[in-house]
Amino acid sequence: MTKKELADVIHTRIGLSKREAAEIVEFFFETVKEKLTSGEGIKIPNFGSFRVQNRKSRKGRNPATGETIEIVERKAIVFKPSKFLRNILNKKSSNE
């Protein structure tokens, strides 16, 4: 799903104009980016949480050449689904 598709869903279900729905979606993602770049976590009840995790540098391997390379230290965004969301997903999977 893209930002545009999400804005279309908001427009259809809530009845806001397409422009207002697009602004809300854009505002939401800008807020998420700001919070994560400042090192804060984000918790969305019944959905999950996002947090920034530091990854240490490590040795890796180029699969094409087999050459050993150094993977530099970096930050990664980690998503952990809520128990509620996991239960919903697992119920749908078992019904299929």
Side-chain angles (χ1 to χ4, degrees):
M1 176 175 266
T2 64
K3 285 184 188 180
K4 184 182 181 319
E5 291 169 338
L6 183 57
D8 287 342
V9 169
I10 292 171
H11 162 70
T12 303
R13 290 194 183 170
I14 298 176
L16 296 174
S17 72
K18 284 190 178 189
R19 181 174 175 221
E20 289 172 326
E23 287 175 0
I24 288 171
V25 170
E26 192 61 39
F27 176 75
F28 172 77
F29 285 110
E30 285 300 317
T31 304
V32 168
K33 282 190 264 184
E34 286 173 15
K35 296 299 179 186
L36 290 173
T37 55
S38 70
E40 293 180 55
I42 298 170
K43 293 182 182 181
I44 303 171
N46 294 330
F47 184 72
S49 61
F50 295 89
R51 66 182 169 88
V52 177
Q53 183 177 50
N54 291 320
R55 302 280 170 114
K56 295 180 182 178
S57 62
R58 59 187 173 91
K59 292 184 190 246
R61 189 177 62 83
N62 181 335
T65 64
E67 177 186 359
T68 300
I69 57 172
E70 181 72 21
I71 300 172
V72 297
E73 184 175 311
R74 66 198 187 285
K75 293 182 179 184
I77 298 171
V78 178
F79 173 72
K80 182 178 178 186
S82 70
K83 187 182 263 188
F84 178 78
L85 180 59
R86 279 182 286 164
N87 289 339
I88 289 173
L89 292 173
N90 287 326
K91 284 180 185 175
K92 281 192 173 184
S93 298
S94 63
N95 290 339
E96 292 175 0

